[in-house]
Amino acid sequence: MGTRAWALLLVLCGTIFLEGIDVAMLAVAIPSIRSDLDLPTDTAAWVMSAYVLGYAGFTLLGGRAADLLGRRRMFLTWLTVFLAFSGLGGFATEGWTLIVARFVTGVSAAFMTPAALSLITTSYEEGEQRNKALLVFAGTAAGGFSLGLVIGGLLTQLGWRWVFFAPVLLAGALLVAAIRLIPAQPRAEEPGNGESGNDEPANEKSPGRPRRRTEGFDILGATTAAAAMLLAAYAVIRLEHGLDGWQLTAGAAAAATTLLVVFVAVERRTPTPLVRLGILRTGSVVRADLGALLFVGAFFGFQFVLTLYLQELRGWSSLQTAIALVVLGCDAILAPTLTPRLVTRFGHAKVILGGFVLAVVAYGLFLPVGMDWSYAAMFPTLIIAGTAFALAYGPLTIAATEGVAESEQGLASGLLHTFTQFGSAIGISAVTAVYGLVSSGASAGSDPDATLSAFRAALIVPVAMVTLGALLSSFGLRSRTKPPTAGAPAAPTAAAATATVAVAAAAPTAAVTDASANPTRKALS
């Protein structure tokens, strides 16, 4: 890649880095915020949950908006919103202001992040170049979260408001660079108009010339999708309360399911759907999205339990805990260096499976955690878990967007981020619920052994999630082991075979993916 291509990639990766440090820093700072503003427990919890609610509720809409309204426009607009409301959080003096600021910040991330990912998948040629860009993107995301823990601990020492002001400075720098580096793009192509649920993309008669949309935006689909996602996210967050208030949790889940059914019915009938349902049958999209949900959910669930173990049971400070977890950020180094070589040699399906297997080993090693484990005893789990993230997350991103038409890359990115956000919420809520149920005995609060038993029980959740993910990802190997047709030359590498499958899957819209039809790619070439 040339200098301009790397510069653009760094700006787009800076966005996911910004999102990662924002979440991590607040996780470290929330005790100080709660103490300073005298927030009740439920309000403090909602300061954290509001972001997830906004992110998960609008990511699907955000991804499709990037396709229909312009990726550059959505990226710049919502990066500006992110900047403004992060700053608002820094000036907050009451809990409700923080909750509003975090919710809108989550919504802005829901539009901004899929736009950034789809800019990558449409700006770099599918194959080795795009895979490398996506792996750098994934490594930056993990690095942002890991470094955010340490940076958050340091900034909290200066004052928790800096946890909100620091992202404002970074977002401002990214905004200035993005305006200069991201070329103006034409309006997105109109999605397919096939029969029975719009299963096929529209034929491209004039590559590079956006067709004028004759139908309005899918308002009903957007409304039902956002409402369904919001209620589903709320139901998932409610899981951490266990059986307490289960009627509300069940009611939210039932309402979300009903709205999801309505959404599918709407999408099958509207001439311009928000989500073309046929994309769910494209390549490995669904399998990769489910894999991402399980992997990210297990990772965040484990990290959450580990943080509680170190701080509540062992009495470590937030800064000590943050420094101890830095080793998880080894994926920020491995993802752009080791993983591309493995993907080129073995194909992303095998690398994904390897990541899941390593995760099973890592979390399994921590199951017998003791009351006085040294950091040396924890280190193997931390380094293996970080390596597993490097191997799995980037290739899952490749699989989730591979073979998807360029006009639907935003939608594919939105689907991926929707699944990952629900995964993180499910992982944290599930381990919290298990911990709460096991430690509900009268002696759990005062008996360290009972608390330790509750931690061990909660750790079963991430082990189960990555084990299920490993089984799911093994089907990806089967789908890629078809024998070559008679007389067909053998692919020289697994990466070449992967690229061939991707090109075949994207054949109906191959004209759109040509560099001459893409102003961003043309500017980078």
Side-chain angles (χ1 to χ4, degrees):
M1 291 190 291
T3 303
R4 186 177 180 84
W6 273 111
L8 175 62
L9 180 60
L10 289 177
V11 169
L12 297 175
C13 288
T15 305
I16 197 66
F17 181 84
L18 172 66
E19 193 265 338
I21 63 169
D22 179 77
V23 173
M25 289 193 302
L26 185 64
V28 174
I30 196 66
S32 297
I33 296 173
R34 177 183 175 184
S35 175
D36 187 37
L37 299 184
D38 194 24
L39 301 180
T41 303
D42 58 344
T43 301
W46 270 108
V47 171
M48 293 294 295
S49 300
Y51 182 89
V52 176
L53 198 63
Y55 202 148
F58 289 90
T59 303
L60 186 59
L61 177 59
R64 196 59 179 136
D67 289 330
L68 298 178
L69 304 178
R71 299 178 182 106
R72 183 179 189 272
R73 178 187 301 172
M74 289 293 99
F75 180 83
L76 296 178
T77 298
W78 290 99
L79 178 57
T80 304
V81 175
F82 188 100
L83 183 156
F85 278 84
S86 183
L88 176 63
F91 290 108
T93 57
E94 297 184 25
W96 70 267
T97 310
L98 275 177
I99 293 173
V100 170
R102 293 305 295 168
F103 178 78
V104 179
T105 303
V107 172
S108 64
F111 282 83
M112 175 181 69
T113 309
L117 182 56
S118 62
L119 278 168
I120 290 177
T121 56
T122 56
S123 299
Y124 301 89
E125 292 287 350
E126 187 168 25
E128 184 177 355
Q129 188 182 72
R130 182 186 296 180
N131 290 352
K132 186 174 184 178
L134 289 174
L135 291 170
V136 172
F137 186 81
T140 305
F145 186 83
S146 301
L147 290 176
L149 293 171
V150 179
I151 296 172
L154 293 173
L155 291 179
T156 302
Q157 300 296 320
L158 299 176
W160 63 263
R161 296 184 187 276
W162 279 104
V163 168
F164 292 89
F165 293 145
V168 171
L169 300 177
L170 178 56
L174 290 174
L175 183 61
V176 172
I179 292 173
R180 293 177 59 87
L181 289 171
I182 303 177
Q185 298 183 349
R187 290 179 302 167
E189 302 283 345
E190 181 181 352
N193 216 7
E195 299 292 334
S196 303
N198 303 315
D199 288 337
E200 299 297 334
N203 293 327
E204 308 298 341
K205 297 181 180 179
S206 302
R209 295 177 60 188
R211 182 170 51 194
R212 184 175 301 172
R213 288 198 300 269
T214 58
E215 302 288 343
F217 188 75
D218 183 14
I219 299 297
L220 183 58
T223 303
T224 53
M229 294 298 101
L230 281 169
L231 285 168
Y234 178 70
V236 168
I237 293 170
R238 287 280 313 168
L239 289 176
E240 64 188 44
H241 296 285
L243 299 178
D244 184 23
W246 67 268
Q247 297 92 338
L248 182 58
T249 305
T257 303
T258 301
L259 283 171
L260 184 60
V261 172
V262 173
F263 170 72
V264 171
V266 170
E267 298 308 279
R268 290 184 63 86
R269 289 168 174 77
T270 184
T272 55
L274 178 72
V275 177
R276 184 181 65 85
L277 300 179
I279 194 175
L280 301 178
R281 295 197 295 272
T282 302
S284 57
V285 169
V286 173
R287 185 171 59 249
D289 288 343
L290 288 173
L293 181 151
L294 292 167
F295 191 88
V296 172
F299 182 83
F300 278 93
F302 170 76
Q303 192 262 343
F304 184 73
V305 174
L306 177 60
T307 301
L308 291 179
Y309 164 75
L310 293 176
Q311 293 192 18
E312 293 189 358
L313 195 61
R314 302 294 298 276
W316 291 23
S317 69
S318 59
L319 184 58
Q320 286 176 311
T321 301
I323 294 175
L325 298 183
V326 166
V327 69
L328 286 172
C330 67
D331 52 356
I333 300 174
L334 297 177
T337 55
L338 174 64
T339 308
R341 298 179 182 179
L342 295 177
V343 170
T344 300
R345 181 170 182 178
F346 300 107
H348 57 65
K350 291 182 179 179
V351 178
I352 290 170
L353 179 58
F356 271 106
V357 171
L358 281 181
V360 173
V361 173
Y363 304 149
L365 286 174
F366 212 80
L367 284 175
V369 60
M371 189 71 68
D372 55 353
W373 267 26
S374 65
Y375 184 70
M378 305 177 207
F379 187 81
T381 288
L382 299 179
I383 192 69
I384 295 174
T387 304
F389 200 102
L391 294 184
Y393 187 70
L396 281 169
T397 304
I398 296 171
T401 57
E402 183 184 61
V404 177
E406 182 169 319
S407 60
E408 294 183 321
Q409 282 293 327
L411 173 58
S413 302
L415 284 169
L416 174 63
H417 282 95
T418 298
F419 275 77
T420 56
Q421 282 302 307
F422 272 100
S424 62
I426 289 172
I428 294 174
S429 297
V431 296
T432 303
V434 171
Y435 174 80
L437 290 173
V438 176
S439 64
S440 59
S443 63
S446 57
D447 184 359
D449 290 329
T451 302
L452 181 61
S453 297
F455 282 133
R456 288 172 176 168
L459 285 169
I460 295 175
V461 173
V463 173
M465 292 182 75
V466 288
T467 300
L468 181 59
L471 294 175
L472 178 66
S473 62
S474 67
F475 289 100
L477 295 177
R478 299 179 188 178
S479 65
R480 292 182 180 276
T481 55
K482 297 178 181 178
T485 55
T493 63
T498 300
T500 302
V501 174
V503 170
T509 54
V512 184
T513 62
D514 187 79
S516 63
N518 188 314
T520 306
R521 192 177 297 161
K522 187 175 181 179
L524 297 176
S525 60

